[in-house]
Structure formats: structure tokens, C-alpha cells
Amino acid sequence: MAAKVLKLKMWPDDAGSTWKKSVLDIKGEVLCVSQFTLLASTKKSNKPDFHGAASGEMAKELYDCFFAKVQELYEPDKVKNGVFQAMMEVGIVNDGPVGVDYRSEDGAVTLEIETNPPKKETTAKDNVSQSEPSTKAFELPASLLE
């Protein structure tokens, strides 16, 4: 998964063509932040259920392994780490209409990419902007992570 994150082509090339360069190509920085809450289930109620999540000890071991692998495969000084199980406020600036959710489940990888910029519609009644993003999901074999 570490190699895939580093090789994922998310940035434009010098001519402006989209999806041409990876973080390796642009010599960018990587911020690794653990988000255990992504494994919460809300299918049965409005309260998040974390029973499917790994134990804190196992999750930390997996996260530390992932972080070390990203550093090993890239320039360690360009790979930053959050604090595991800490309350953090992370500020980012999104450059463009794309968000990626990358996860591995049962030997498969799911990439969800928001492909359309939000379209803002203003209603005369309350002058409030609304947007409806479009998401596409792709199922890939886990062997692509290696």
C-alpha cells in the first residue's frame, strides 16, 4: 500500500495534462495520519460501531509499519507523521475537485475518486449554495499494492 500511495498519479504534468505525476515525480511531501474512525460502521444505528476495527495495539503496529515503509521507499525527511491515537486538528488546502479514499479490504483495493467539481446552485429563496459531488469507485486486485 505504501508503494501505491507514492506512485499514484494525482498531479498534472508541466503541460497541464491531468493525472500524470506522482508525489515522487513532483518531489512533494507526504503526511501520514492514522484515521481509525474510517472503520466505523453506522449500518445498524446512528452511533458509530468500531467492533470491526483492529485493537489499538495491532492498529498502531500496522500504522507504524506503513509509515516506516513510506519513509523507506521515499525521502524520509519528506514523510511526516501524525501522533497515533492523539486528538489532532489537521489543516489542508485541497487543490482541485478530487478526493481519494484508498483502502484494502479482503484482498481487494477500493479507490473512490470524486471526479466532478462541486456545482454551486444558489436559490433565490434563501441565497444558499448547494453542491452535489460525483463519486466513482474502482475495485482493483490487492497484488497492485506490491
mmCIF file of all heavy atoms in Angstrom, residues 10-59:
data_model
loop_
_atom_site.group_PDB
_atom_site.id
_atom_site.type_symbol
_atom_site.label_atom_id
_atom_site.label_comp_id
_atom_site.label_asym_id
_atom_site.label_seq_id
_atom_site.Cartn_x
_atom_site.Cartn_y
_atom_site.Cartn_z
ATOM 1 N N MET A 10 -1.530 11.727 -9.294
ATOM 2 C CA MET A 10 -2.595 12.636 -8.887
ATOM 3 C C MET A 10 -2.373 14.074 -9.358
ATOM 4 O O MET A 10 -3.253 14.901 -9.240
ATOM 5 C CB MET A 10 -2.708 12.645 -7.359
ATOM 6 C CG MET A 10 -3.084 11.311 -6.752
ATOM 7 S SD MET A 10 -4.751 10.811 -7.130
ATOM 8 C CE MET A 10 -5.681 12.122 -6.374
ATOM 9 N N TRP A 11 -1.188 14.397 -9.879
ATOM 10 C CA TRP A 11 -0.866 15.775 -10.232
ATOM 11 C C TRP A 11 -0.653 15.922 -11.736
ATOM 12 O O TRP A 11 -0.259 14.975 -12.411
ATOM 13 C CB TRP A 11 0.400 16.212 -9.489
ATOM 14 C CG TRP A 11 0.157 16.411 -8.035
ATOM 15 C CD1 TRP A 11 -0.255 17.570 -7.424
ATOM 16 C CD2 TRP A 11 0.264 15.431 -7.001
ATOM 17 N NE1 TRP A 11 -0.400 17.356 -6.076
ATOM 18 C CE2 TRP A 11 -0.096 16.050 -5.788
ATOM 19 C CE3 TRP A 11 0.617 14.087 -6.970
ATOM 20 C CZ2 TRP A 11 -0.091 15.391 -4.574
ATOM 21 C CZ3 TRP A 11 0.619 13.417 -5.769
ATOM 22 C CH2 TRP A 11 0.271 14.069 -4.588
ATOM 23 N N PRO A 12 -0.876 17.116 -12.259
ATOM 24 C CA PRO A 12 -0.681 17.355 -13.694
ATOM 25 C C PRO A 12 0.803 17.447 -14.055
ATOM 26 O O PRO A 12 1.645 17.737 -13.202
ATOM 27 C CB PRO A 12 -1.377 18.704 -13.920
ATOM 28 C CG PRO A 12 -1.321 19.391 -12.599
ATOM 29 C CD PRO A 12 -1.383 18.308 -11.564
ATOM 30 N N ASP A 13 1.104 17.220 -15.342
ATOM 31 C CA ASP A 13 2.479 17.402 -15.802
ATOM 32 C C ASP A 13 2.711 18.876 -16.131
ATOM 33 O O ASP A 13 1.822 19.715 -15.944
ATOM 34 C CB ASP A 13 2.783 16.490 -16.993
ATOM 35 C CG ASP A 13 1.929 16.782 -18.225
ATOM 36 O OD1 ASP A 13 1.263 17.848 -18.286
ATOM 37 O OD2 ASP A 13 1.920 15.937 -19.138
ATOM 38 N N ASP A 14 3.892 19.191 -16.618
ATOM 39 C CA ASP A 14 4.251 20.582 -16.903
ATOM 40 C C ASP A 14 3.388 21.205 -17.991
ATOM 41 O O ASP A 14 3.228 22.423 -18.046
ATOM 42 C CB ASP A 14 5.731 20.681 -17.287
ATOM 43 C CG ASP A 14 6.643 20.274 -16.136
ATOM 44 O OD1 ASP A 14 6.206 20.374 -14.969
ATOM 45 O OD2 ASP A 14 7.782 19.846 -16.403
ATOM 46 N N ALA A 15 2.802 20.371 -18.855
ATOM 47 C CA ALA A 15 1.932 20.872 -19.923
ATOM 48 C C ALA A 15 0.490 21.051 -19.446
ATOM 49 O O ALA A 15 -0.354 21.528 -20.187
ATOM 50 C CB ALA A 15 1.974 19.921 -21.115
ATOM 51 N N GLY A 16 0.226 20.635 -18.198
ATOM 52 C CA GLY A 16 -1.116 20.795 -17.649
ATOM 53 C C GLY A 16 -2.025 19.589 -17.831
ATOM 54 O O GLY A 16 -3.185 19.614 -17.440
ATOM 55 N N SER A 17 -1.499 18.513 -18.439
ATOM 56 C CA SER A 17 -2.298 17.296 -18.593
ATOM 57 C C SER A 17 -2.494 16.655 -17.228
ATOM 58 O O SER A 17 -1.535 16.474 -16.479
ATOM 59 C CB SER A 17 -1.599 16.303 -19.515
ATOM 60 O OG SER A 17 -1.505 16.833 -20.816
ATOM 61 N N THR A 18 -3.742 16.309 -16.922
ATOM 62 C CA THR A 18 -4.048 15.787 -15.596
ATOM 63 C C THR A 18 -3.652 14.324 -15.435
ATOM 64 O O THR A 18 -3.487 13.599 -16.408
ATOM 65 C CB THR A 18 -5.544 15.940 -15.288
ATOM 66 O OG1 THR A 18 -6.282 15.270 -16.312
ATOM 67 C CG2 THR A 18 -5.959 17.393 -15.242
ATOM 68 N N TRP A 19 -3.502 13.909 -14.173
ATOM 69 C CA TRP A 19 -3.222 12.528 -13.785
ATOM 70 C C TRP A 19 -1.913 12.012 -14.381
ATOM 71 O O TRP A 19 -1.831 10.889 -14.845
ATOM 72 C CB TRP A 19 -4.385 11.599 -14.181
ATOM 73 C CG TRP A 19 -5.721 12.117 -13.804
ATOM 74 C CD1 TRP A 19 -6.670 12.618 -14.637
ATOM 75 C CD2 TRP A 19 -6.275 12.215 -12.490
ATOM 76 N NE1 TRP A 19 -7.774 13.004 -13.936
ATOM 77 C CE2 TRP A 19 -7.557 12.766 -12.604
ATOM 78 C CE3 TRP A 19 -5.809 11.887 -11.217
ATOM 79 C CZ2 TRP A 19 -8.376 12.999 -11.502
ATOM 80 C CZ3 TRP A 19 -6.629 12.119 -10.127
ATOM 81 C CH2 TRP A 19 -7.895 12.666 -10.282
ATOM 82 N N LYS A 20 -0.863 12.816 -14.355
ATOM 83 C CA LYS A 20 0.394 12.435 -14.994
ATOM 84 C C LYS A 20 1.557 12.237 -14.030
ATOM 85 O O LYS A 20 2.510 11.542 -14.345
ATOM 86 C CB LYS A 20 0.814 13.493 -16.027
ATOM 87 C CG LYS A 20 -0.177 13.670 -17.157
ATOM 88 C CD LYS A 20 -0.253 12.455 -18.026
ATOM 89 C CE LYS A 20 -1.193 12.680 -19.189
ATOM 90 N NZ LYS A 20 -1.396 11.516 -19.998
ATOM 91 N N LYS A 21 1.534 12.869 -12.846
ATOM 92 C CA LYS A 21 2.692 12.812 -11.954
ATOM 93 C C LYS A 21 2.303 12.340 -10.552
ATOM 94 O O LYS A 21 1.233 12.656 -10.053
ATOM 95 C CB LYS A 21 3.372 14.179 -11.868
ATOM 96 C CG LYS A 21 4.070 14.585 -13.148
ATOM 97 C CD LYS A 21 4.920 15.799 -12.944
ATOM 98 C CE LYS A 21 5.725 16.092 -14.194
ATOM 99 N NZ LYS A 21 6.697 17.161 -13.952
ATOM 100 N N SER A 22 3.231 11.611 -9.955
ATOM 101 C CA SER A 22 3.046 11.124 -8.589
ATOM 102 C C SER A 22 3.754 12.070 -7.614
ATOM 103 O O SER A 22 4.469 12.988 -8.025
ATOM 104 C CB SER A 22 3.651 9.726 -8.458
ATOM 105 O OG SER A 22 5.069 9.807 -8.555
ATOM 106 N N VAL A 23 3.589 11.810 -6.328
ATOM 107 C CA VAL A 23 4.296 12.605 -5.320
ATOM 108 C C VAL A 23 5.808 12.427 -5.490
ATOM 109 O O VAL A 23 6.577 13.349 -5.232
ATOM 110 C CB VAL A 23 3.825 12.263 -3.883
ATOM 111 C CG1 VAL A 23 4.307 10.896 -3.447
ATOM 112 C CG2 VAL A 23 4.232 13.329 -2.889
ATOM 113 N N LEU A 24 6.233 11.257 -5.958
ATOM 114 C CA LEU A 24 7.656 11.025 -6.244
ATOM 115 C C LEU A 24 8.125 11.943 -7.370
ATOM 116 O O LEU A 24 9.199 12.537 -7.291
ATOM 117 C CB LEU A 24 7.894 9.568 -6.661
ATOM 118 C CG LEU A 24 7.536 8.478 -5.662
ATOM 119 C CD1 LEU A 24 7.609 7.102 -6.321
ATOM 120 C CD2 LEU A 24 8.448 8.544 -4.461
ATOM 121 N N ASP A 25 7.307 12.046 -8.413
ATOM 122 C CA ASP A 25 7.663 12.859 -9.579
ATOM 123 C C ASP A 25 7.781 14.339 -9.237
ATOM 124 O O ASP A 25 8.658 15.035 -9.754
ATOM 125 C CB ASP A 25 6.630 12.694 -10.693
ATOM 126 C CG ASP A 25 6.532 11.270 -11.209
ATOM 127 O OD1 ASP A 25 7.551 10.548 -11.207
ATOM 128 O OD2 ASP A 25 5.415 10.874 -11.614
ATOM 129 N N ILE A 26 6.881 14.830 -8.393
ATOM 130 C CA ILE A 26 6.889 16.263 -8.076
ATOM 131 C C ILE A 26 7.752 16.583 -6.861
ATOM 132 O O ILE A 26 7.880 17.728 -6.474
ATOM 133 C CB ILE A 26 5.460 16.808 -7.853
ATOM 134 C CG1 ILE A 26 4.823 16.200 -6.603
ATOM 135 C CG2 ILE A 26 4.602 16.605 -9.090
ATOM 136 C CD1 ILE A 26 3.545 16.893 -6.159
ATOM 137 N N LYS A 27 8.333 15.520 -6.269
ATOM 138 C CA LYS A 27 9.169 15.664 -5.080
ATOM 139 C C LYS A 27 8.408 16.360 -3.947
ATOM 140 O O LYS A 27 8.934 17.224 -3.257
ATOM 141 C CB LYS A 27 10.472 16.384 -5.418
ATOM 142 C CG LYS A 27 11.297 15.627 -6.439
ATOM 143 C CD LYS A 27 12.642 16.234 -6.653
ATOM 144 C CE LYS A 27 13.484 15.565 -7.701
ATOM 145 N NZ LYS A 27 13.183 14.321 -8.227
ATOM 146 N N GLY A 28 7.142 15.956 -3.801
ATOM 147 C CA GLY A 28 6.277 16.533 -2.774
ATOM 148 C C GLY A 28 6.496 15.902 -1.418
ATOM 149 O O GLY A 28 7.344 15.025 -1.241
ATOM 150 N N GLU A 29 5.730 16.365 -0.456
ATOM 151 C CA GLU A 29 5.785 15.821 0.897
ATOM 152 C C GLU A 29 4.572 14.929 1.129
ATOM 153 O O GLU A 29 3.532 15.093 0.491
ATOM 154 C CB GLU A 29 5.817 16.937 1.929
ATOM 155 C CG GLU A 29 7.099 17.726 1.898
ATOM 156 C CD GLU A 29 7.188 18.744 3.025
ATOM 157 O OE1 GLU A 29 6.143 19.146 3.567
ATOM 158 O OE2 GLU A 29 8.310 19.127 3.366
ATOM 159 N N VAL A 30 4.706 13.991 2.057
ATOM 160 C CA VAL A 30 3.642 13.066 2.407
ATOM 161 C C VAL A 30 3.329 13.242 3.888
ATOM 162 O O VAL A 30 4.235 13.232 4.716
ATOM 163 C CB VAL A 30 4.073 11.601 2.145
ATOM 164 C CG1 VAL A 30 2.995 10.637 2.587
ATOM 165 C CG2 VAL A 30 4.431 11.406 0.677
ATOM 166 N N LEU A 31 2.070 13.420 4.201
ATOM 167 C CA LEU A 31 1.631 13.486 5.593
ATOM 168 C C LEU A 31 0.810 12.238 5.873
ATOM 169 O O LEU A 31 -0.260 12.043 5.303
ATOM 170 C CB LEU A 31 0.786 14.738 5.850
ATOM 171 C CG LEU A 31 0.148 14.828 7.236
ATOM 172 C CD1 LEU A 31 1.220 14.851 8.328
ATOM 173 C CD2 LEU A 31 -0.736 16.070 7.322
ATOM 174 N N CYS A 32 1.321 11.368 6.731
ATOM 175 C CA CYS A 32 0.611 10.149 7.123
ATOM 176 C C CYS A 32 -0.145 10.426 8.416
ATOM 177 O O CYS A 32 0.452 10.813 9.409
ATOM 178 C CB CYS A 32 1.596 9.007 7.352
ATOM 179 S SG CYS A 32 2.513 8.512 5.899
ATOM 180 N N VAL A 33 -1.449 10.231 8.375
ATOM 181 C CA VAL A 33 -2.295 10.448 9.541
ATOM 182 C C VAL A 33 -3.189 9.229 9.690
ATOM 183 O O VAL A 33 -3.925 8.874 8.779
ATOM 184 C CB VAL A 33 -3.164 11.727 9.384
ATOM 185 C CG1 VAL A 33 -4.052 11.918 10.601
ATOM 186 C CG2 VAL A 33 -2.284 12.943 9.150
ATOM 187 N N SER A 34 -3.109 8.582 10.841
ATOM 188 C CA SER A 34 -3.965 7.410 11.065
ATOM 189 C C SER A 34 -5.390 7.882 11.314
ATOM 190 O O SER A 34 -5.618 8.885 11.981
ATOM 191 C CB SER A 34 -3.460 6.619 12.274
ATOM 192 O OG SER A 34 -3.582 7.388 13.447
ATOM 193 N N GLN A 35 -6.342 7.162 10.750
ATOM 194 C CA GLN A 35 -7.750 7.523 10.936
ATOM 195 C C GLN A 35 -8.544 6.254 11.208
ATOM 196 O O GLN A 35 -9.202 5.725 10.338
ATOM 197 C CB GLN A 35 -8.289 8.242 9.703
ATOM 198 C CG GLN A 35 -7.645 9.579 9.507
ATOM 199 C CD GLN A 35 -8.463 10.457 8.588
ATOM 200 O OE1 GLN A 35 -9.376 10.008 7.923
ATOM 201 N NE2 GLN A 35 -8.138 11.724 8.561
ATOM 202 N N PHE A 36 -8.465 5.794 12.444
ATOM 203 C CA PHE A 36 -9.162 4.559 12.795
ATOM 204 C C PHE A 36 -10.664 4.688 12.630
ATOM 205 O O PHE A 36 -11.352 3.706 12.401
ATOM 206 C CB PHE A 36 -8.834 4.136 14.228
ATOM 207 C CG PHE A 36 -9.518 4.975 15.269
ATOM 208 C CD1 PHE A 36 -10.720 4.559 15.813
ATOM 209 C CD2 PHE A 36 -8.973 6.175 15.688
ATOM 210 C CE1 PHE A 36 -11.355 5.330 16.769
ATOM 211 C CE2 PHE A 36 -9.608 6.938 16.636
ATOM 212 C CZ PHE A 36 -10.805 6.525 17.184
ATOM 213 N N THR A 37 -11.188 5.887 12.714
ATOM 214 C CA THR A 37 -12.631 6.066 12.624
ATOM 215 C C THR A 37 -13.167 5.723 11.249
ATOM 216 O O THR A 37 -14.367 5.553 11.090
ATOM 217 C CB THR A 37 -13.035 7.513 12.981
ATOM 218 O OG1 THR A 37 -12.300 8.416 12.161
ATOM 219 C CG2 THR A 37 -12.768 7.800 14.440
ATOM 220 N N LEU A 38 -12.301 5.585 10.258
ATOM 221 C CA LEU A 38 -12.757 5.200 8.936
ATOM 222 C C LEU A 38 -13.340 3.790 8.933
ATOM 223 O O LEU A 38 -14.052 3.408 8.035
ATOM 224 C CB LEU A 38 -11.615 5.295 7.918
ATOM 225 C CG LEU A 38 -11.105 6.695 7.626
ATOM 226 C CD1 LEU A 38 -9.935 6.628 6.660
ATOM 227 C CD2 LEU A 38 -12.196 7.569 7.065
ATOM 228 N N LEU A 39 -13.039 2.995 9.951
ATOM 229 C CA LEU A 39 -13.557 1.640 10.033
ATOM 230 C C LEU A 39 -14.847 1.556 10.825
ATOM 231 O O LEU A 39 -15.314 0.478 11.136
ATOM 232 C CB LEU A 39 -12.502 0.720 10.650
ATOM 233 C CG LEU A 39 -11.300 0.460 9.748
ATOM 234 C CD1 LEU A 39 -10.271 -0.406 10.462
ATOM 235 C CD2 LEU A 39 -11.711 -0.195 8.453
ATOM 236 N N ALA A 40 -15.409 2.675 11.170
ATOM 237 C CA ALA A 40 -16.669 2.668 11.912
ATOM 238 C C ALA A 40 -17.813 2.276 10.987
ATOM 239 O O ALA A 40 -17.847 2.648 9.832
ATOM 240 C CB ALA A 40 -16.936 4.041 12.507
ATOM 241 N N SER A 41 -18.739 1.525 11.526
ATOM 242 C CA SER A 41 -19.933 1.145 10.789
ATOM 243 C C SER A 41 -21.131 1.861 11.402
ATOM 244 O O SER A 41 -21.256 1.940 12.622
ATOM 245 C CB SER A 41 -20.138 -0.369 10.861
ATOM 246 O OG SER A 41 -21.384 -0.709 10.290
ATOM 247 N N THR A 42 -21.993 2.377 10.552
ATOM 248 C CA THR A 42 -23.227 3.008 11.034
ATOM 249 C C THR A 42 -24.443 2.354 10.382
ATOM 250 O O THR A 42 -25.507 2.949 10.312
ATOM 251 C CB THR A 42 -23.221 4.521 10.735
ATOM 252 O OG1 THR A 42 -23.034 4.701 9.332
ATOM 253 C CG2 THR A 42 -22.131 5.234 11.506
ATOM 254 N N LYS A 43 -24.280 1.113 9.928
ATOM 255 C CA LYS A 43 -25.362 0.416 9.224
ATOM 256 C C LYS A 43 -26.553 0.119 10.126
ATOM 257 O O LYS A 43 -27.692 0.191 9.693
ATOM 258 C CB LYS A 43 -24.853 -0.886 8.615
ATOM 259 C CG LYS A 43 -23.962 -0.665 7.426
ATOM 260 C CD LYS A 43 -23.529 -1.979 6.823
ATOM 261 C CE LYS A 43 -22.634 -1.708 5.623
ATOM 262 N NZ LYS A 43 -22.191 -2.931 4.991
ATOM 263 N N LYS A 44 -26.308 -0.210 11.395
ATOM 264 C CA LYS A 44 -27.392 -0.639 12.270
ATOM 265 C C LYS A 44 -27.941 0.460 13.161
ATOM 266 O O LYS A 44 -28.985 0.291 13.767
ATOM 267 C CB LYS A 44 -26.933 -1.816 13.129
ATOM 268 C CG LYS A 44 -26.642 -3.051 12.307
ATOM 269 C CD LYS A 44 -26.276 -4.213 13.174
ATOM 270 C CE LYS A 44 -26.011 -5.442 12.314
ATOM 271 N NZ LYS A 44 -25.634 -6.593 13.109
ATOM 272 N N SER A 45 -27.225 1.565 13.273
ATOM 273 C CA SER A 45 -27.718 2.654 14.116
ATOM 274 C C SER A 45 -27.030 3.952 13.729
ATOM 275 O O SER A 45 -26.216 3.991 12.821
ATOM 276 C CB SER A 45 -27.463 2.350 15.599
ATOM 277 O OG SER A 45 -26.092 2.519 15.903
ATOM 278 N N ASN A 46 -27.332 4.997 14.449
ATOM 279 C CA ASN A 46 -26.697 6.292 14.213
ATOM 280 C C ASN A 46 -25.417 6.446 15.017
ATOM 281 O O ASN A 46 -24.728 7.449 14.896
ATOM 282 C CB ASN A 46 -27.668 7.425 14.549
ATOM 283 C CG ASN A 46 -28.823 7.458 13.587
ATOM 284 O OD1 ASN A 46 -28.672 7.128 12.414
ATOM 285 N ND2 ASN A 46 -29.999 7.822 14.074
ATOM 286 N N LYS A 47 -25.125 5.481 15.858
ATOM 287 C CA LYS A 47 -23.907 5.502 16.670
ATOM 288 C C LYS A 47 -22.822 4.700 15.957
ATOM 289 O O LYS A 47 -23.063 3.556 15.554
ATOM 290 C CB LYS A 47 -24.200 4.890 18.041
ATOM 291 C CG LYS A 47 -23.015 4.875 18.961
ATOM 292 C CD LYS A 47 -23.397 4.240 20.292
ATOM 293 C CE LYS A 47 -22.172 4.114 21.174
ATOM 294 N NZ LYS A 47 -22.473 3.395 22.401
ATOM 295 N N PRO A 48 -21.619 5.258 15.778
ATOM 296 C CA PRO A 48 -20.549 4.516 15.113
ATOM 297 C C PRO A 48 -20.207 3.231 15.875
ATOM 298 O O PRO A 48 -20.122 3.233 17.096
ATOM 299 C CB PRO A 48 -19.359 5.474 15.127
ATOM 300 C CG PRO A 48 -19.953 6.817 15.352
ATOM 301 C CD PRO A 48 -21.204 6.603 16.151
ATOM 302 N N ASP A 49 -20.022 2.137 15.139
ATOM 303 C CA ASP A 49 -19.664 0.837 15.707
ATOM 304 C C ASP A 49 -18.238 0.519 15.259
ATOM 305 O O ASP A 49 -17.957 0.417 14.074
ATOM 306 C CB ASP A 49 -20.637 -0.224 15.182
ATOM 307 C CG ASP A 49 -20.297 -1.624 15.642
ATOM 308 O OD1 ASP A 49 -19.292 -1.814 16.361
ATOM 309 O OD2 ASP A 49 -21.048 -2.546 15.273
ATOM 310 N N PHE A 50 -17.328 0.360 16.224
ATOM 311 C CA PHE A 50 -15.926 0.119 15.918
ATOM 312 C C PHE A 50 -15.523 -1.346 16.141
ATOM 313 O O PHE A 50 -14.349 -1.662 16.210
ATOM 314 C CB PHE A 50 -15.032 1.043 16.759
ATOM 315 C CG PHE A 50 -15.304 2.492 16.525
ATOM 316 C CD1 PHE A 50 -16.030 3.235 17.445
ATOM 317 C CD2 PHE A 50 -14.855 3.119 15.381
ATOM 318 C CE1 PHE A 50 -16.298 4.575 17.219
ATOM 319 C CE2 PHE A 50 -15.114 4.450 15.145
ATOM 320 C CZ PHE A 50 -15.838 5.187 16.069
ATOM 321 N N HIS A 51 -16.488 -2.260 16.263
ATOM 322 C CA HIS A 51 -16.178 -3.658 16.537
ATOM 323 C C HIS A 51 -15.348 -4.311 15.421
ATOM 324 O O HIS A 51 -14.629 -5.265 15.677
ATOM 325 C CB HIS A 51 -17.463 -4.457 16.789
ATOM 326 C CG HIS A 51 -18.081 -4.132 18.098
ATOM 327 N ND1 HIS A 51 -19.052 -3.145 18.228
ATOM 328 C CD2 HIS A 51 -17.867 -4.609 19.344
ATOM 329 C CE1 HIS A 51 -19.409 -3.051 19.491
ATOM 330 N NE2 HIS A 51 -18.715 -3.932 20.196
ATOM 331 N N GLY A 52 -15.450 -3.824 14.216
ATOM 332 C CA GLY A 52 -14.683 -4.381 13.105
ATOM 333 C C GLY A 52 -13.265 -3.841 13.023
ATOM 334 O O GLY A 52 -12.458 -4.323 12.231
ATOM 335 N N ALA A 53 -12.935 -2.865 13.850
ATOM 336 C CA ALA A 53 -11.605 -2.252 13.824
ATOM 337 C C ALA A 53 -10.606 -3.119 14.593
ATOM 338 O O ALA A 53 -10.970 -3.873 15.492
ATOM 339 C CB ALA A 53 -11.661 -0.855 14.437
ATOM 340 N N ALA A 54 -9.350 -3.002 14.234
ATOM 341 C CA ALA A 54 -8.289 -3.721 14.946
ATOM 342 C C ALA A 54 -8.129 -3.142 16.347
ATOM 343 O O ALA A 54 -8.523 -2.001 16.606
ATOM 344 C CB ALA A 54 -6.976 -3.593 14.180
ATOM 345 N N SER A 55 -7.530 -3.911 17.239
ATOM 346 C CA SER A 55 -7.231 -3.400 18.576
ATOM 347 C C SER A 55 -6.257 -2.232 18.444
ATOM 348 O O SER A 55 -5.541 -2.111 17.444
ATOM 349 C CB SER A 55 -6.609 -4.499 19.440
ATOM 350 O OG SER A 55 -5.308 -4.825 18.949
ATOM 351 N N GLY A 56 -6.193 -1.385 19.447
ATOM 352 C CA GLY A 56 -5.282 -0.243 19.416
ATOM 353 C C GLY A 56 -3.839 -0.653 19.215
ATOM 354 O O GLY A 56 -3.091 -0.035 18.454
ATOM 355 N N GLU A 57 -3.441 -1.739 19.893
ATOM 356 C CA GLU A 57 -2.059 -2.229 19.783
ATOM 357 C C GLU A 57 -1.750 -2.707 18.367
ATOM 358 O O GLU A 57 -0.728 -2.354 17.778
ATOM 359 C CB GLU A 57 -1.844 -3.364 20.792
ATOM 360 C CG GLU A 57 -0.419 -3.864 20.844
ATOM 361 C CD GLU A 57 -0.248 -4.927 21.915
ATOM 362 O OE1 GLU A 57 -0.551 -4.648 23.089
ATOM 363 O OE2 GLU A 57 0.187 -6.043 21.552
ATOM 364 N N MET A 58 -2.664 -3.494 17.796
ATOM 365 C CA MET A 58 -2.459 -4.002 16.436
ATOM 366 C C MET A 58 -2.518 -2.864 15.413
ATOM 367 O O MET A 58 -1.721 -2.810 14.475
ATOM 368 C CB MET A 58 -3.496 -5.059 16.079
ATOM 369 C CG MET A 58 -3.340 -5.590 14.657
ATOM 370 S SD MET A 58 -4.612 -6.767 14.202
ATOM 371 C CE MET A 58 -3.927 -8.217 14.963
ATOM 372 N N ALA A 59 -3.452 -1.943 15.599
ATOM 373 C CA ALA A 59 -3.582 -0.816 14.675
ATOM 374 C C ALA A 59 -2.312 0.028 14.672
ATOM 375 O O ALA A 59 -1.839 0.443 13.618
ATOM 376 C CB ALA A 59 -4.793 0.029 15.051
#
